[in-house]
């Protein structure tokens, strides 16, 4: 549920005397200017709770309850009368103002007018000369900074136009007020005033409410726009397609595509026609936020509604599919695009090249790149070159990446910060830091200053190559030059401290990360949890795991597996089992490593039946146990002289894995001087495979000799000889 409309709009506070005092002061000013007022019944105005509420209330009530009397007077013409005459004369000379009242040219200095005089002039002109003359002066006045943000001027003008029964022009002034006060961040105050003016006869229309919603959405106040929508419905003002479109646009700009999705579905359910522009916007937004399947749904829905996807729609979808790694589908969409008569442009090709490079298909990407180079219509741009350079850097083909970099500069294209950072990252991962530093200097020379991504690339490379002190010096230099660390920087630093097992410094960096407003992701938490688990400090791991849940992050398989391994190291198998069960309960499917960790822990505690149950469950799910898991479980049964159970466990393996496991198991049994059990497995091995591993045979023969089990050696040697013969 969205928050309700502010309570202050539904209940009014008791009236104060201040508005009445200001009202009488205004009347005295007008009388001094020669405007004689006849009072009708003045009802006490409600107390307003927004910007300039008390003074504006009096003005609004004043305009609706007094009548201007311009009876002849012997007194000289007042300044207000003089200004009115000047406005009327100017309007008479400018007949086009009847169509465009905002274009009044008035030979008058706005600074010579007081605020009260401006209000008086608007009210007088509306009363005596009509709406268009009053509007002309109003637009002239708000063209000056002195009156532009003077709210009472808007209210008096609106009330005057309502008094002339010109509701259309009153709404025009109200819409103007919405836009003007949004400029100074006072949209909500303006809206509060508009709602209050309903008591003075202002009718709320779909057009006015749409204007509020559109401006709020443009300002990023999308939740407020949604509240206005609720108020609109509650007051019986019917929304239209423009209402929905403004809110959808706002949510898309805000990156909240799930809310945008909900609103566009509601829009379609109510029978409003969704135009091509709105669908294009939402397809782009969904692709940018990696909701590609939903974007595809809207793309197909667009075609079912009879709207033809354009070049932008196709390119957006192709880009989204490539980012997700669905390159094959992207090329299928490209074929459909060509069939529909659209020619792919440089942006379409760049998306495809980037997608191919991310999949590791750089040769295919390069063929497409060459096609673009040879094209007469489109040529590769800086983004195309950067995508291709990135592909070669990922494959560690840095010579080709450098070749493209030079070719790009020869073509007169200026590499941007992203291009330099991509190449620097490639050299840093390869350990060529001298070239990385050289590129950084070249980057500065050409006017592109390294950003935090550039520093992160080199710092990460230095840490991974065992040069953390140099990484810290470089980072400090960046901080001195005004670079600010981002979440990636903190992740690199914390990961390095975890690798060093310096958990105090890791937690110090984590605390600083929180202080500067960055939220660690689940992968960083997993790194920390795994590090504490390796140090057998499960209390710290548990605290971090609780923090993960509290922040609404979703633990991964790696997070759960780290906790399971930690508990197994401390021989807290019951807690390990609970974590494993919680893993399944939270929809996180355990993999062979998760199963293997718990099976090993259960084996150490001689809980073989439970370990066997997990092993069978893993095999039933099609997961292949690693060699350590296979050997560990079989060996534990061998220790209890249960040869049959050990063989049953191994029988579920395919022949290749079975042979490999038995070889390892025989060597392990021999190292423990369990040569009798080893001999049984050796005979089974010879039944399945005549090719005996020389290492396994040597280990078996050595163990038998050391145990004085020469008969076992003789039996195996005889079988091997028969097999050879």
């Amino acid at each position: 549920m969205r928050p309700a409309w502010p309570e202050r709009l539904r209940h009014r506070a008791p009236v104060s005397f201040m508005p009445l005092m200001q009202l009488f002061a205004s009347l005295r000013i007008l009388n001094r200017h020669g405007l004689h007022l006849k009072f009708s019944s003045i009802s006490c105005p409600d107390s307003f709770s927004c910007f300039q509420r008390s003074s504006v209330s009096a003005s609004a009530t004043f305009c609706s309850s007094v009548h201007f009397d311009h009876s002849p007077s012997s007194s000289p013409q007042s300044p207000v009368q003089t200004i009115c005459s000047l406005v009327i004369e100017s309007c008479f000379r400018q007949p086009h103002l009847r169509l465009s009242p905002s274009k009044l040219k008035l030979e008058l200095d706005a600074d010579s007018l007081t605020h009260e005089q401006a209000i008086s002039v608007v009210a007088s002109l509306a009363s005596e000369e009509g709406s268009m003359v009053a509007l002309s002066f109003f637009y002239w006045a708000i063209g000056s900074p002195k009156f532009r943000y003077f709210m009472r001027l808007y209210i008096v003008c609106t009330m005057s136009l309502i008094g002339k029964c010109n509701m259309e022009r009153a709404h025009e002034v109200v819409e103007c007020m919405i836009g003007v006060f949004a400029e100074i961040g006072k949209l909500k105050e303006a809206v509060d005033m508009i709602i209050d003016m309903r008591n003075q006869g202002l009718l709320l229309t779909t057009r006015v409410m749409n204007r509020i919603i559109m401006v709020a959405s443009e300002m990023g106040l999308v939740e407020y726009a949604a509240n206005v929508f609720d108020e609109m419905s509650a007051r019986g003002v019917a929304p239209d397609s423009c209402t929905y479109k403004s809110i959808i646009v706002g949510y898309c700009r805000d990156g909240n595509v799930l809310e945008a999705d909900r609103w566009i579905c509601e829009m379609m359910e109510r029978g409003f026609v969704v135009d091509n522009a709105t669908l294009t916007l939402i397809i782009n937004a969904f692709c940018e936020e990696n909701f590609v399947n939903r974007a595809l749904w809207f793309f197909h829905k667009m075609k079912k509604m009879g709207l033809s996807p354009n070049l932008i729609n196709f390119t957006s979808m192709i880009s989204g599919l490539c980012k997700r790694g669905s390159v094959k589908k992207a090329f299928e969409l490209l074929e459909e695009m060509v069939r529909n008569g659209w020619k792919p442009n440089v942006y379409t090709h760049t998306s495809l090249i980037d997608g191919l490079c991310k999949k590791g298909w750089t040769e295919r990407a390069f063929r497409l790149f060459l096609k673009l180079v040879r094209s007469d219509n489109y040529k590769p741009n800086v983004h195309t070159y950067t995508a291709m350079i990135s592909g070669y850097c990922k494959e560690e083909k840095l010579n080709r990446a450098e070749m493209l970099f030079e070719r790009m500069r020869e073509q007169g294209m200026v590499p941007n910060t992203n291009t330099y950072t991509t190449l620097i990252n490639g050299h840093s991962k390869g350990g060529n830091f001298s070239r990385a530093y050289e590129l950084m200097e070249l980057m500065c020379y050409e006017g592109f200053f390294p950003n935090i991504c550039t520093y992160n690339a080199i710092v990460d490379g230095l840490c991974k190559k065992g040069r953390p002190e140099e990484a810290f010096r470089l980072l400090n230099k960046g901080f001195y030059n005004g670079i600010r660390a981002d979440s990636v920087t903190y992740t690199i630093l914390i990961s390095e401290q975890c690798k060093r097992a310096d958990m105090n410094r890791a937690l110090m960096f984590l605390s600083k990360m929180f202080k500067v407003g960055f939220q660690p992701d689940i992968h960083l938490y997993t790194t920390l949890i795994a590090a504490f688990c390796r140090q057998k400090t499960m209390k710290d791991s548990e605290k971090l795991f609780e923090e993960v849940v509290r922040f609404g992050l979703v633990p991964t398989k790696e997070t759960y597996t780290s906790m399971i391994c930690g508990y197994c190291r401390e021989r807290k198998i019951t807690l390990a089992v609970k974590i494993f069960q919680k893993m399944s309960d939270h929809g996180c499917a355990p993999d062979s490593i998760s199963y293997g960790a718990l099976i090993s822990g259960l084996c150490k505690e001689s809980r073989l039946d439970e370990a066997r149950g997990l092993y069978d469950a893993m095999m039933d799910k099609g997961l292949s146990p690693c060699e350590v898991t296979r050997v560990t479980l079989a060996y534990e049964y061998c220790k209890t002289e249960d040869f049959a159970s050990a063989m049953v466990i191994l029988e579920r393996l395919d022949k290749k894995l079975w042979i490999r496991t038995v070889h390892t198991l025989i060597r392990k049994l021999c190292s423990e001087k369990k040569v009798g059990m080893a001999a049984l497995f050796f005979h089974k091995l010879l039944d399945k495979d005549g090719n005996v591993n020389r290492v396994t045979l040597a280990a078996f023969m050595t163990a038998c000799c050391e145990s004085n089990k020469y008969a076992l050696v003789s039996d195996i040697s005889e079988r091997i000889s028969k097999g050879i013969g």
Side-chain angles (χ1 to χ4, degrees), residues 47 54 180 226 246 329 343 399 430 496 508 553 559 566 684 704:
S47 175
S54 58
V180 166
S246 295
K329 281 190 177 180
K343 289 184 178 180
N399 289 336
E496 177 60 27
M508 182 193 73
L553 298 172
T559 319
K684 287 288 184 182
C704 287

Side-chain angles (χ1 to χ4, degrees), residues 572-592:
K572 295 179 179 178
I573 305 301
T574 303
L575 291 174
V577 171
K578 282 184 180 178
I579 282 286
F580 183 84
Q581 290 170 344
K582 188 183 287 186
M583 185 178 185
S584 303
D585 294 342
H586 287 79
C588 186
D591 59 9
S592 58

Side-chain angles (χ1 to χ4, degrees), residues 228-262:
V228 175
F229 181 91
D230 289 341
E231 178 69 10
M232 186 176 181
S233 303
R235 294 182 181 275
V237 183
D240 59 13
S241 59
C242 293
T243 320
Y244 281 98
K245 183 176 179 179
S246 295
I247 295 179
I248 290 163
V249 168
Y251 277 118
C252 286
R253 285 176 179 163
D254 204 36
N256 192 343
V257 291
L258 297 179
E259 273 297 305
D261 185 19
R262 188 177 69 78

Side-chain angles (χ1 to χ4, degrees), residues 34-38 66-72 80-81 84-85 87-88 98 119-135 160-161 163-164:
L35 291 172
H36 305 288
L37 308 174
K38 296 179 181 179
V66 301
H67 305 285
F68 290 89
D69 182 11
H70 288 269
S71 56
V80 170
Q81 290 174 323
C84 288
S85 300
V87 172
I88 294 165
R98 293 195 173 275
I119 290 172
S120 302
V121 170
V122 166
S124 177
L125 289 173
S127 175
E128 300 299 324
E129 303 299 332
S131 303
M132 299 308 292
V133 177
L135 262 181
S160 300
L161 293 170
K164 298 295 289 183

